[in-house]
Structures are given as structure tokens and as C-alpha cells.
DNA sequence: TTGCTCCTCACGTCACGTGAGGTGGC
DNA sequence: TTGCTCCTCACGTCACGTGAGGTGGC
């Protein structure tokens, strides 16, 4: 792991290989099963320049380097980054060493703010849904003021 | 507000009109400003069959009925439903009365589970991002074990 | 005449899903 | 020969964004 400057630091991948960890090269099907992603996704990532597996004729062969990059991609996705952002974080310096996500503190905070905003929106929606659910459970087949559900929903 | 059966109940919209509340008909631009949505979105909803404004020649004119439907659409979106779901919830019985979102208790719980799952994923991502941020702040320009960031990220 | 608002295509975005149609080696 | 896995287009999905090019009334 190499540190480039004081505003961006690499973040090593955290994948624990479970199946065929010692195998040097995998087919696309093997990698798909190992990481729980579809064949389409792997080809899509390659199309976006995020992966570049060796070719044996037409077939793709993924080595250790490809595995670690895939780990970084999935890590980035779990953190809520777009593939374009992940791409920039992986190959910021020409992909000379692709063993870390180059994430600056600034970018990190920016992402935190984004996710917190989403968190609040989901919190509000959940509160509203619970209110609605309570109204639906309490006021089944009402006869006088069905509008109470609407009132409960503010 | 009319209740249809004991598994689905209408949920009245909760929009408080702020601009031109007494005006019977609005242009697309007025409605756009009033509800804070783009012109494109309004036309898109119409294309999906969710809105059906009157036409004055080529121009669209939105009445009270269209306003209330738009309120329902935006309400449904805030609750995290897709436009297809909202469409089904609005016009379940042929749009004879479009004054409520017809949301069953079952569907309500289903949505709650979906949002809770998303909430957990965001929670995890935020925890991870905070860990990373702490590592970046504490270990600026490290010289011995930069891997500690990776370890902290598990 | 200039500006403003309105209109209709129609392609672009994001991260893939989903067939269609065809290979290659056991 | 049948099956399995691999391949490459290429259109579909979701909810719009974003111009392009053209109207109509003040």
C-alpha cells in the first residue's frame, strides 16, 4: 500500500477469499460465484474500464490483480459510490498500483453527508409508513371519519 | 374518501397549497413552481398515465383533480414507491375517485421491510466511512504501518 | 422585433437485466 | 449428440435530464 499525498490515501481491499483462494486464474463463472456478482456485471465493469482480465482466445481469465480490483469495486459500491467515482479512486495515478481506494478526507465527508441525507429521508418515510400502518390496523372498515388516516399522515 | 375493502384503504393527500390555491387551472410552469418538480417530470407522469391535464390547444391546463393526483404521486415517491406502484395505488378501481392512495397493510409492511433493509445498508456504509475518516485523520503521512487503515476497515 | 412560455421528438444517464444467436471443449 | 460454459450484440428498465428545433401570444 502506497500513500501518495496527504489528501488522498489508499484503502486496501478487505475481501477474504473463500473458494479457490490459491488458484491463480479463474473463469468468469468462477469469479461470479466467488464474489456473488453476475456475469453481466463483470463484463459491464470491464466495459467501463474497471477490470481488464487476460484473454485465452475469447474467454476471460481473471488473475489475482483482477480479484483485488473487483474487491475494491464492490467495496466502493457498498460505500455508495458510483462506478465513475470508483474508477477515479482506483486509477487516479494511472493504475500503477491498484491495491487501494484513493479516498480523500474531503471526499469521504462528502459521501457521509450524502448518505446521511438519504438516511433522514428513509427515516421520515418509515415514520410515515408506520403511522399509516397503525391507522390501517386501527381503523379497519370505518364508518364515520375515514379521513382520520389522512390526518394521521399529517 | 371511499374505503373499498378491508385490505386496501385510501390515504388522502396532504398537500398544503401555497401559491394560487384558489386558482382553478394552472399552466405547467405554475404547477412546476408550486410543487417543486420539473416540467419534464410532469410530462413524464402524464406519459405514464398518472396525470391527464386538460388541453387548451397544445398547452396543458391542470385543474384541482390534477393537483390532488400530483400530490398523491409525490407522496408515494416520498414513501419510496415506484411510479408503477403509485399508478396501481391511485387507479386501482378505474380512477373513478382519485382522492387517495390505496395502500394495503400488507403492501405497507412490505415497503417498511424494504426501507429498513436500505437503512441498514446505509448505516453500515456510514460506520465504515467514519472509520475510514478517522484513519485518514489520525494517520496522515504514516511511515510504518499504513495497512492500519485497511485493518480498521476490517 | 425581442422575450417568455409552451410544445414535441429523441438521445443520454445509471447499473445493469434479459434474451437472441453462436462457439468450443468434455 | 447432448450439456455446459463461454462469447458478442443489442434492446429493455427506471425516472427523468438535456438539448434541438419550432409555436404562440404579450
Amino acid at each position: 500500500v502506497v500513500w501518495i499525498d496527504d489528501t488522498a490515501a489508499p484503502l486496501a481491499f478487505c475481501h477474504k477469499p473463500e473458494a479457490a483462494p490459491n488458484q491463480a486464474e479463474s473463469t468468469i463463472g468462477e469469479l461470479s460465484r466467488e464474489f456473488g456478482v453476475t456475469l453481466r456485471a463483470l463484463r459491464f465493469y470491464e466495459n467501463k474500464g474497471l477490470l481488464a482480465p487476460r484473454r485465452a482466445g475469447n474467454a476471460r481469465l481473471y488473475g489475482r490483480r483482477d480479484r483485488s480490483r473487483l474487491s475494491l469495486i464492490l467495496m466502493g459500491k457498498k460505500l455508495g459510490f458510483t462506478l465513475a467515482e470508483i474508477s477515479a479512486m482506483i486509477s487516479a495515478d494511472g493504475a500503477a498500483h491498484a491495491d487501494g481506494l484513493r479516498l480523500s478526507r474531503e471526499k469521504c465527508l462528502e459521501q457521509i453527508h450524502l448518505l446521511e441525507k438519504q438516511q433522514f429521508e428513509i427515516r421520515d418515510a418509515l415514520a410515515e409508513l408506520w403511522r399509516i400502518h397503525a391507522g390501517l390496523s386501527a381503523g379497519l372498515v370505518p364508518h364515520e371519519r375515514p379521513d382520520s388516516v389522512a390526518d394521521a399522515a399529517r
Side-chain angles (χ1 to χ4, degrees), chain A:
Chain A
V1 178
V2 183
W3 295 59
I4 306 305
D5 59 45
D6 61 348
T7 62
L11 174 67
F13 66 95
C14 62
H15 173 67
K16 312 287 190 203
E18 293 159 8
N22 43 5
Q23 192 176 347
E25 307 234 318
S26 326
T27 66
I28 192 171
E30 288 163 358
L31 206 68
S32 162
R33 264 163 265 143
E34 186 181 347
F35 284 85
V37 297
T38 65
L39 306 187
R40 177 65 172 119
L42 291 173
R43 295 185 186 122
F44 184 76
Y45 298 154
E46 178 175 348
N47 199 286
K48 289 289 166 180
L50 289 167
L51 290 176
R54 193 168 75 82
R55 294 287 184 138
N58 243 347
R60 295 167 173 83
L61 282 182
Y62 298 83
R64 295 200 316 115
R65 199 179 150 70
D66 300 302
R67 274 161 201 282
S68 70
R69 290 193 73 120
L70 180 53
S71 298
L72 291 179
I73 294 168
L74 298 181
M75 168 90 157
K77 276 176 66 66
K78 278 182 68 175
L79 296 181
F81 292 108
T82 67
L83 290 185
E85 287 171 323
I86 293 171
S87 177
M89 287 162 63
I90 285 184
S91 51
D93 55 342
H97 50 80
D99 50 0
L101 281 183
R102 292 174 47 75
L103 179 56
S104 71
R105 297 198 313 293
E106 195 181 323
K107 181 81 180 165
C108 192
L109 281 179
E110 189 187 305
Q111 186 69 3
I112 285 173
H113 294 329
L114 178 67
L115 292 190
E116 280 180 342
K117 190 182 160 204
Q118 293 179 15
Q119 202 177 33
F120 288 139
E121 288 170 1
I122 291 183
R123 233 198 273 290
D124 288 353
L126 276 171
E128 188 84 12
L129 283 166
W130 277 122
R131 265 199 293 276
I132 292 169
H133 183 260
L136 288 176
S137 298
L140 280 181
V141 195
H143 289 292
E144 33 230 25
R145 290 213 64 230
D147 278 350
S148 58
V149 174
D151 295 341
R154 208 211 335 212

